[in-house]
């Protein structure tokens, strides 16, 4: 089991900035701090409505990631506009996510099974441009098979349902964690790289990080919230330490 990478999602620094329409807090400064604190890469979601990250932020984030030799994981919807922006920047990775209700599966991932015809040509053009394409999907074996069929190199498993169940002390949390394990094994068997993200906090990170097929976690909202209390650098370092502990325990 190799080292698990941590991608830090800085979208919600932009949410706070946009709440006042001022220029601060600056998500680019947060990205610089995250990299300095041990993040392996930066994740940012340019939403169609630009509710947090702006086009200008993406330009600046692409620039600092390039200068620091760190990957930018550009999250976007499957639209012509977002495809054009991805192709203009050629980030290390593009993670295709659902934004419209009809693209969403039960748990909230991209419905690749139903959307294959729309998703496949976009994946092909991004892959041809040298971008690593990831699909944000539910822990469902049919979605893994469809992700492989459309030519994605990576799947990011949606951990939101599991993390919510843990926080709400719901009995189905174990089943949801097991679904993540089964989906990760299936994706790996198909030759896909396997990432995970959404809703992860200090409590849920260890069971998720212990899934051996995972190579990357993308974590944002909890870290930005925690940064209010202990600072962004320490919050990231603590998360990183928990990830490493989970892997060390599993290997022991
Ligand atoms: N991965 C993907 C594909 C996402 O869309 C998000 C949320 O933007 C995350 C990871 C990070 O989720 P959270 O902010 O809940 O940690």
């Amino acid at each position: 089991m190799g080292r698990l990478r941590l991608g830090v999602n800085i979208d919600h620094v932009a949410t706070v900035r946009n709440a006042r329409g001022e220029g601060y807090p600056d998500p680019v400064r947060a990205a610089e701090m995250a990299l300095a604190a041990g993040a392996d890469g930066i994740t940012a979601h340019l939403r169609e409505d630009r509710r947090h990250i702006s086009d200008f932020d993406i330009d600046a984030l692409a620039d600092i990631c390039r200068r620091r030799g760190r990957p930018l994981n550009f999250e976007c919807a499957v639209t012509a506009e977002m495809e054009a922006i991805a192709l203009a920047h050629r980030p290390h990775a593009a993670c295709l996510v659902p934004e419209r209700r009809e693209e969403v599966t039960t748990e909230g991932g991209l419905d690749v099974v139903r959307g294959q015809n729309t998703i496949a040509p976009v994946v092909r053009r991004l892959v041809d441009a040298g971008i690593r394409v990831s699909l944000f999907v539910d822990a469902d074996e049919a979605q893994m098979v469809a992700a492989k069929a459309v030519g994605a190199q990576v799947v990011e498993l949606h951990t939101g349902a599991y993390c919510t169940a843990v926080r709400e002390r719901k009995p189905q949390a174990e089943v949801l964690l097991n679904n993540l394990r089964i989906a990760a094994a299936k994706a790996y068997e198909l030759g896909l790289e396997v990432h995970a993200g959404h809703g992860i906090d200090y409590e849920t990170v260890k069971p998720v990080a212990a899934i051996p097929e995972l190579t990357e976690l993308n974590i944002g909202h909890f870290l930005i919230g925690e940064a209010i209390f202990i600072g962004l650098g320490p919050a990231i370092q603590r998360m990183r330490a928990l990830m490493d502990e989970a892997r060390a325990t599993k290997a022991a």
Side-chain angles (χ1 to χ4, degrees):
M1 213 173 16
R3 183 176 177 276
L4 189 57
R5 294 190 302 270
L6 171 60
V8 172
N9 180 318
I10 43 69
D11 291 349
H12 297 301
V13 177
T15 304
V16 176
R17 175 195 62 194
N18 296 357
R20 282 290 280 272
E22 296 276 358
Y24 65 90
D26 178 8
V28 178
R29 183 174 169 204
E32 300 256 23
M33 286 190 77
L35 293 174
D40 296 289
I42 297 301
T43 293
H45 184 180
L46 184 66
R47 296 190 68 98
E48 288 181 84
D49 63 7
R50 309 302 198 267
R51 78 172 70 141
H52 38 59
I53 293 292
S54 68
D55 296 71
F56 176 82
D57 294 329
I58 289 293
D59 293 347
L61 291 167
D63 187 49
I64 70 142
C65 286
R66 200 172 303 112
R67 279 193 283 115
R68 304 220 178 286
R70 301 290 188 92
L72 172 65
N73 177 24
F74 175 69
E75 290 179 357
C76 63
V78 187
T79 65
E81 183 199 17
M82 290 301 153
E83 181 185 336
I85 293 170
L87 291 173
H89 281 296
R90 294 178 191 243
H92 169 80
C95 181
L96 303 181
V97 300
E99 281 190 28
R100 282 186 295 271
R101 192 192 285 265
E102 64 272 17
E103 302 168 327
V104 183
T105 57
T106 39
E107 306 290 7
L110 188 64
D111 195 344
V112 190
V113 173
R114 286 179 55 207
Q116 289 201 29
N117 294 343
T118 321
I119 297 166
V122 177
V123 171
R124 193 174 337 106
R125 288 189 290 270
L126 295 174
V127 169
D128 285 350
I131 301 167
R132 219 166 153 68
V133 177
S134 168
L135 302 179
F136 186 46
V137 286
D138 287 349
D140 169 356
E141 290 191 66
Q143 296 294 342
M144 306 305 124
V145 172
K148 181 69 184 177
V150 299
Q153 297 125 314
V154 183
V155 280
E156 178 162 328
L157 302 181
H158 196 314
T159 50
Y162 164 66
C163 294
T164 303
V166 170
R167 261 191 296 279
E168 294 176 358
R169 302 288 175 243
K170 294 250 174 75
Q172 66 265 39
E174 253 328 290
V175 172
L176 293 168
L177 179 61
N178 212 38
N179 291 346
L180 289 165
R181 292 185 184 119
I182 294 166
K186 179 71 181 178
Y188 183 81
E189 180 197 307
L190 290 167
L192 294 160
E193 187 174 319
V194 201
H195 301 175
H198 203 95
I200 294 174
D201 61 13
Y202 291 151
E203 182 178 12
T204 46
V205 71
K206 286 181 83 170
V208 173
I211 300 173
E213 293 85 4
L214 292 179
T215 57
E216 180 175 307
L217 300 185
N218 285 298
I219 310 180
H221 189 244
F222 178 81
L223 287 173
I224 303 307
E226 196 60 9
I228 295 169
F229 304 105
I230 66 168
L232 186 56
I236 291 170
Q237 283 155 1
R238 170 119 196 260
M239 192 63 85
R240 173 79 258 166
L242 292 168
M243 287 164 61
D244 292 342
E245 266 174 42
R247 286 274 154 137
T249 313
K250 190 80 184 173

